[in-house]
Structures are given as structure tokens and as C-alpha cells.
Amino acid sequence: MALAHQEEAIRAKLTDLVEIVVLRAYRCKDREYVRVARAVDGADLRGMLDRAVDSDSPWARCHAGYVLWLLNRPGVPNTPHVWRAWVAGKAAALM
């Protein structure tokens, strides 16, 4: 699923999948969807993530912020350590 250069219909479905994950309360394996987000990165996905960052839901704000942060840093791995550091506000130390 997380391959670059998907057909537009598949990209749209994968973007919807990332949105569903970002908007719900965090679950154990949710950070795995960053790989999908990186594969379908584009204006539609980033627009959805920007809206989620501004939402009333603290879950959505946190998770969307993390995904955007990683999209802007393709060299940073999506590991449990990076997630915990980002949530703790210590992600700058990872750079």
C-alpha cells in the first residue's frame, strides 16, 4: 500500500485512510500509517492534516502534527522512540 506513484483513485483512498487514523484516538500501531502518508504526500493530504491540526480534538491535533512533522523531515525514522520524543516535546533533540 505504501508505494509511491499510485493511481489517483488509490491515492485518494489511501489519503482517506490516513485521515481516519489521524482523526481517531491514538491506537498502538497508528504510527505505522506514516509510511502510507509519506507515499501519498501531496496537497490533499497536507490540507487534511492542516485542518486536523486546527481541530477541536486533541488526538487529531497531536497525531496530525506528528505526521506533518515527519513529512517535513523524510530522513527522520518513524520509530517508537521518535514518537515518544515528539509527544514529550523533545523532538528538536532528534535533529
Side-chain angles (χ1 to χ4, degrees), residues 45-56:
L45 177 68
R46 287 179 181 257
M48 178 279 296
L49 292 169
D50 286 338
R51 288 187 298 279
V53 165
D54 292 333
S55 78
D56 293 334

Side-chain angles (χ1 to χ4, degrees), residues 1 4 6-7 9 15 18 22 27 36 39 44-46 49 51 58 65 67 76-77 80 84-85 92 94:
M1 285 188 341
Q6 298 283 357
E7 289 180 29
T15 299
V18 173
V22 165
R27 296 181 188 169
V36 175
D44 290 342
L45 177 68
R46 287 179 181 257
L49 292 169
R51 288 187 298 279
V67 174
V76 175
R84 287 189 299 272
L94 300 171

Side-chain angles (χ1 to χ4, degrees), residues 47-90:
M48 178 279 296
L49 292 169
D50 286 338
R51 288 187 298 279
V53 165
D54 292 333
S55 78
D56 293 334
S57 167
W59 291 106
R61 289 192 307 267
C62 181
H63 204 178
Y66 177 70
V67 174
L68 278 169
W69 185 80
L70 283 176
L71 288 177
N72 290 328
R73 293 159 183 84
V76 175
N78 178 31
T79 64
H81 172 74
V82 170
W83 165 250
R84 287 189 299 272
W86 191 86
V87 169
K90 298 177 183 170

